[in-house]
Amino acid sequence: MSERRTQMLEAAVRVIAQDGVRGLRVEKLAAEAGVSTALIYYHFKDRAGILRAALEHVNHRAQTYTSGVVPDDPREQVEQMLLGELQDTEHVRETSVAWGELRASAAFHEELRSTLLTATDAWNADVETLVRQANPDVDAAAAAERLTALVEGLSERWHSGSLTLERARELLSGAIERELG
């Protein structure tokens, strides 16, 4: 991916995290990225193209902080991957809020659904593989889906101030322990 395109996608994530999908205006995105609106349209064609590319970029960003150092134990890998989504850093918060905004907007923007489904399926598959390695006796697909959905819900509650980060992490750790047996 070109450096300029990455710059525009990073700006899109910031704008979406701050103003939501409805607040994403091409003019504001261009100003945030320090480029012309024509360049935005050149790279993404239209607003729907920006949203799809931003969703893919958010997913890629999340992978960078959930797949770092990998312990040998699959249980620890599951916990590290999922708890990686609940970190009090600007990068993680921004990524998580943008993901939540994009996910919620898919209810109204049908063109986001296939990209969202692909990203969600890949995340579930990664967690499912680790769950199966950690405990072959559980329904790994169901456990993975429950755990990833829980991460999203806990993240939304944390970001909205309904739950502390510490409590969110505690609840997630408990759920991982229960799911893995």
Side-chain angles (χ1 to χ4, degrees), residues 2 6 21 25 28 30 42 53 59 69 73-74 78 84 95 102 117-118 122 124 143 149 159 167 176:
S2 76
T6 300
V21 170
R25 302 287 179 259
K28 183 169 186 172
Y42 173 78
N59 187 50
V69 177
D73 179 24
V78 169
T95 302
L102 288 158
L117 178 62
T118 299
N124 285 339
H159 293 301
R167 181 67 177 150
I176 293 168

Side-chain angles (χ1 to χ4, degrees), residues 76-155:
E76 289 178 28
Q77 289 179 30
V78 169
E79 192 160 350
Q80 179 180 319
M81 176 189 283
L82 296 177
L83 287 171
E85 295 286 348
L86 299 172
Q87 298 179 61
D88 195 13
T89 68
E90 183 177 341
H91 186 73
V92 172
R93 282 191 315 271
E94 185 179 79
T95 302
S96 182
V97 169
W99 173 264
E101 288 289 331
L102 288 158
R103 175 176 285 292
S105 71
F108 305 102
H109 297 276
E110 197 169 318
E111 67 273 6
L112 287 178
R113 292 180 188 169
S114 66
T115 304
L116 182 64
L117 178 62
T118 299
T120 301
D121 285 348
W123 189 25
N124 285 339
D126 290 345
V127 175
E128 178 183 347
T129 297
L130 293 174
V131 168
R132 184 171 291 109
Q133 291 170 1
N135 186 346
D137 296 329
V138 301
D139 180 349
E145 195 157 4
R146 284 190 295 268
L147 289 170
T148 58
L150 179 62
V151 169
E152 289 177 346
L154 291 172
S155 179

